[in-house]
Amino acid sequence: MSNKVHSKFQDEKDLVSRLKQGQEAAYRILIRSYQGQLFSIAYGITMDREESLDIVQEVFLKVHQNIKNFRGDSGLSTWLHRITVNQSLNWQRKWKRRLKWRHQPLEKDEGGDYPELGDSQENPETLYHKGELEIALQEGLNELSETSRTVFVLREIEGLSYDEIAEVLNVKKGTVKSRLFLARQKLKERLSEYVNETEEKP
Amino acid sequence: MTENNIKCDQNLVDLLYDPELNQDLDEREVVRLKEHLETCPPCQQALKENQALSKVFKAGFANAVSRTSLENIEDRVMDKIQSRSLPWWRRIPNLLTPRRMLFPATAVAALLVVLILYFPGSRSINGGPSALVSYLGGETSSVMIFETPNTRHTIIWFEEI
């Protein structure tokens, strides 16, 4: 094991030990270290900001509740990712939320602009483009199956390997590979306009 | 994948995208994959598309995520954790916060209003002078039947002489 990996492992082991003792400072470190990551995962699956914030809070509360049962068979981050993915997918599966998500896409105001986007220094064309991209992303992710969407998010946003993704989702590595391929094919079709633009740029 | 020829397929393109992500590959296989990429235009094109897609996705995603503030998460979580460690009788004041009590208090108030206004018998029996409806008199007793004007209660007055 390299020094860097060994050091990270020891830090994590030490953190888990302090969490099990109920140290407040340890929980604060945990939250600050992982809140960004977990929010990205939750948002990638739910595409709902408020719900993603609630999910992240819920994940940390579950950690507090269950840390005594954490045996360390998988790493702490894998455990956190797994809880986040499960919470996010549970939210997705509630039919009312799903209905709200599908029928209330990003809305324009009366002037045709997207509210809350960017700042006053961005020109209207850039803001419009960003808004269109977000809608296309939401629609593209919506068309994917739960597993494909989750695999794609974990790969693209968190940079997890096939093995790590398979461990988080408790599926076979072959499933991860095939779902990732399908996700990319579908998203390339949906986002072809943006993908082609990006390819053409030097 | 054979020893001499690398078959161009979906898995290969994913491997080419970032071979280090597949922990089954050893260094020699990574080198062979990279050598294949240098001589295979379809794989080069597929890889280019994947990289462009990744860039587009990350840009759109980052834009959406950047508008969300995570500042309050730590305080909210720590408040709940600290509240959980209190004995149950010390958690009661938290239940009585104005926001939490709003709905139950409104429900109780509405119920009280309904009970006071509509519950039978909640009004005073003495609604004013009573009217004699009927009188039955005999040698040993008499019965008078009154009706109250407003509430229409019937009062039967029996008297032994």
Side-chain angles (χ1 to χ4, degrees), chain A residues 69-85:
Chain A
N69 302 328
F70 178 68
R71 293 192 301 267
D73 297 338
S74 60
L76 179 62
S77 59
T78 303
W79 188 46
L80 289 169
H81 289 154
R82 193 179 291 145
I83 300 174
T84 308
V85 165

mmCIF file of all heavy atoms in Angstrom, chain A residues 69-85:
data_model
loop_
_atom_site.group_PDB
_atom_site.id
_atom_site.type_symbol
_atom_site.label_atom_id
_atom_site.label_comp_id
_atom_site.label_asym_id
_atom_site.label_seq_id
_atom_site.Cartn_x
_atom_site.Cartn_y
_atom_site.Cartn_z
ATOM 1 N N ASN A 69 -22.874 -0.018 14.326
ATOM 2 C CA ASN A 69 -22.963 -1.285 13.602
ATOM 3 C C ASN A 69 -22.030 -1.341 12.400
ATOM 4 O O ASN A 69 -21.979 -2.348 11.704
ATOM 5 C CB ASN A 69 -24.397 -1.504 13.099
ATOM 6 C CG ASN A 69 -25.386 -1.503 14.251
ATOM 7 O OD1 ASN A 69 -25.054 -1.918 15.349
ATOM 8 N ND2 ASN A 69 -26.585 -1.011 14.000
ATOM 9 N N PHE A 70 -21.307 -0.288 12.140
ATOM 10 C CA PHE A 70 -20.434 -0.227 10.970
ATOM 11 C C PHE A 70 -19.181 -1.048 11.263
ATOM 12 O O PHE A 70 -18.413 -0.736 12.175
ATOM 13 C CB PHE A 70 -20.060 1.234 10.659
ATOM 14 C CG PHE A 70 -19.114 1.395 9.499
ATOM 15 C CD1 PHE A 70 -19.513 1.097 8.206
ATOM 16 C CD2 PHE A 70 -17.818 1.852 9.695
ATOM 17 C CE1 PHE A 70 -18.641 1.247 7.133
ATOM 18 C CE2 PHE A 70 -16.944 2.013 8.636
ATOM 19 C CZ PHE A 70 -17.359 1.709 7.356
ATOM 20 N N ARG A 71 -19.012 -2.107 10.452
ATOM 21 C CA ARG A 71 -17.905 -3.033 10.748
ATOM 22 C C ARG A 71 -16.643 -2.686 9.968
ATOM 23 O O ARG A 71 -15.588 -3.184 10.258
ATOM 24 C CB ARG A 71 -18.324 -4.462 10.424
ATOM 25 C CG ARG A 71 -19.419 -5.011 11.333
ATOM 26 C CD ARG A 71 -19.564 -6.514 11.125
ATOM 27 N NE ARG A 71 -19.885 -6.813 9.738
ATOM 28 C CZ ARG A 71 -21.121 -6.955 9.273
ATOM 29 N NH1 ARG A 71 -22.150 -6.811 10.077
ATOM 30 N NH2 ARG A 71 -21.351 -7.228 8.006
ATOM 31 N N GLY A 72 -16.784 -1.855 8.927
ATOM 32 C CA GLY A 72 -15.601 -1.501 8.142
ATOM 33 C C GLY A 72 -15.280 -2.500 7.057
ATOM 34 O O GLY A 72 -14.162 -2.508 6.525
ATOM 35 N N ASP A 73 -16.265 -3.353 6.689
ATOM 36 C CA ASP A 73 -16.027 -4.296 5.580
ATOM 37 C C ASP A 73 -15.787 -3.529 4.287
ATOM 38 O O ASP A 73 -14.953 -3.890 3.454
ATOM 39 C CB ASP A 73 -17.250 -5.231 5.396
ATOM 40 C CG ASP A 73 -17.474 -6.096 6.614
ATOM 41 O OD1 ASP A 73 -16.506 -6.283 7.385
ATOM 42 O OD2 ASP A 73 -18.611 -6.567 6.813
ATOM 43 N N SER A 74 -16.565 -2.471 4.119
ATOM 44 C CA SER A 74 -16.311 -1.566 2.986
ATOM 45 C C SER A 74 -15.819 -0.256 3.597
ATOM 46 O O SER A 74 -15.925 -0.054 4.801
ATOM 47 C CB SER A 74 -17.589 -1.331 2.202
ATOM 48 O OG SER A 74 -18.566 -0.748 3.036
ATOM 49 N N GLY A 75 -15.290 0.615 2.752
ATOM 50 C CA GLY A 75 -14.789 1.890 3.263
ATOM 51 C C GLY A 75 -15.923 2.796 3.716
ATOM 52 O O GLY A 75 -17.085 2.587 3.355
ATOM 53 N N LEU A 76 -15.569 3.811 4.500
ATOM 54 C CA LEU A 76 -16.572 4.762 4.993
ATOM 55 C C LEU A 76 -17.249 5.482 3.835
ATOM 56 O O LEU A 76 -18.464 5.655 3.807
ATOM 57 C CB LEU A 76 -15.895 5.779 5.919
ATOM 58 C CG LEU A 76 -16.780 6.866 6.506
ATOM 59 C CD1 LEU A 76 -17.874 6.274 7.378
ATOM 60 C CD2 LEU A 76 -15.948 7.860 7.312
ATOM 61 N N SER A 77 -16.467 5.897 2.834
ATOM 62 C CA SER A 77 -17.057 6.638 1.711
ATOM 63 C C SER A 77 -17.998 5.743 0.910
ATOM 64 O O SER A 77 -19.048 6.195 0.448
ATOM 65 C CB SER A 77 -15.988 7.254 0.818
ATOM 66 O OG SER A 77 -15.155 6.262 0.310
ATOM 67 N N THR A 78 -17.643 4.461 0.762
ATOM 68 C CA THR A 78 -18.533 3.534 0.048
ATOM 69 C C THR A 78 -19.851 3.423 0.798
ATOM 70 O O THR A 78 -20.925 3.413 0.188
ATOM 71 C CB THR A 78 -17.896 2.147 -0.081
ATOM 72 O OG1 THR A 78 -16.642 2.283 -0.747
ATOM 73 C CG2 THR A 78 -18.777 1.183 -0.858
ATOM 74 N N TRP A 79 -19.769 3.317 2.109
ATOM 75 C CA TRP A 79 -20.979 3.232 2.930
ATOM 76 C C TRP A 79 -21.836 4.481 2.770
ATOM 77 O O TRP A 79 -23.049 4.412 2.569
ATOM 78 C CB TRP A 79 -20.563 3.029 4.400
ATOM 79 C CG TRP A 79 -21.678 2.737 5.335
ATOM 80 C CD1 TRP A 79 -22.710 1.844 5.145
ATOM 81 C CD2 TRP A 79 -21.882 3.308 6.623
ATOM 82 N NE1 TRP A 79 -23.527 1.838 6.242
ATOM 83 C CE2 TRP A 79 -23.050 2.726 7.171
ATOM 84 C CE3 TRP A 79 -21.192 4.246 7.391
ATOM 85 C CZ2 TRP A 79 -23.534 3.052 8.432
ATOM 86 C CZ3 TRP A 79 -21.673 4.570 8.649
ATOM 87 C CH2 TRP A 79 -22.836 3.981 9.159
ATOM 88 N N LEU A 80 -21.198 5.632 2.829
ATOM 89 C CA LEU A 80 -21.930 6.893 2.676
ATOM 90 C C LEU A 80 -22.573 6.980 1.295
ATOM 91 O O LEU A 80 -23.727 7.400 1.164
ATOM 92 C CB LEU A 80 -20.987 8.081 2.868
ATOM 93 C CG LEU A 80 -20.492 8.325 4.296
ATOM 94 C CD1 LEU A 80 -19.372 9.346 4.297
ATOM 95 C CD2 LEU A 80 -21.616 8.794 5.195
ATOM 96 N N HIS A 81 -21.818 6.596 0.274
ATOM 97 C CA HIS A 81 -22.367 6.632 -1.089
ATOM 98 C C HIS A 81 -23.585 5.720 -1.181
ATOM 99 O O HIS A 81 -24.592 6.063 -1.803
ATOM 100 C CB HIS A 81 -21.321 6.177 -2.118
ATOM 101 C CG HIS A 81 -20.218 7.160 -2.333
ATOM 102 N ND1 HIS A 81 -18.971 6.803 -2.769
ATOM 103 C CD2 HIS A 81 -20.176 8.505 -2.155
ATOM 104 C CE1 HIS A 81 -18.198 7.880 -2.868
ATOM 105 N NE2 HIS A 81 -18.909 8.915 -2.493
ATOM 106 N N ARG A 82 -23.467 4.543 -0.563
ATOM 107 C CA ARG A 82 -24.549 3.561 -0.650
ATOM 108 C C ARG A 82 -25.824 4.103 0.006
ATOM 109 O O ARG A 82 -26.913 4.009 -0.548
ATOM 110 C CB ARG A 82 -24.133 2.251 0.017
ATOM 111 C CG ARG A 82 -25.063 1.084 -0.289
ATOM 112 C CD ARG A 82 -24.606 -0.176 0.370
ATOM 113 N NE ARG A 82 -23.377 -0.682 -0.216
ATOM 114 C CZ ARG A 82 -22.416 -1.298 0.477
ATOM 115 N NH1 ARG A 82 -22.545 -1.494 1.764
ATOM 116 N NH2 ARG A 82 -21.336 -1.731 -0.131
ATOM 117 N N ILE A 83 -25.667 4.684 1.191
ATOM 118 C CA ILE A 83 -26.839 5.234 1.882
ATOM 119 C C ILE A 83 -27.453 6.352 1.041
ATOM 120 O O ILE A 83 -28.678 6.430 0.883
ATOM 121 C CB ILE A 83 -26.469 5.791 3.278
ATOM 122 C CG1 ILE A 83 -25.878 4.702 4.165
ATOM 123 C CG2 ILE A 83 -27.705 6.378 3.959
ATOM 124 C CD1 ILE A 83 -25.354 5.226 5.495
ATOM 125 N N THR A 84 -26.598 7.194 0.475
ATOM 126 C CA THR A 84 -27.093 8.320 -0.325
ATOM 127 C C THR A 84 -27.843 7.829 -1.550
ATOM 128 O O THR A 84 -28.935 8.324 -1.869
ATOM 129 C CB THR A 84 -25.924 9.221 -0.777
ATOM 130 O OG1 THR A 84 -25.139 9.589 0.354
ATOM 131 C CG2 THR A 84 -26.426 10.467 -1.476
ATOM 132 N N VAL A 85 -27.280 6.853 -2.228
ATOM 133 C CA VAL A 85 -27.933 6.313 -3.430
ATOM 134 C C VAL A 85 -29.288 5.709 -3.048
ATOM 135 O O VAL A 85 -30.296 5.955 -3.713
ATOM 136 C CB VAL A 85 -27.025 5.262 -4.115
ATOM 137 C CG1 VAL A 85 -27.797 4.444 -5.129
ATOM 138 C CG2 VAL A 85 -25.848 5.941 -4.793
#
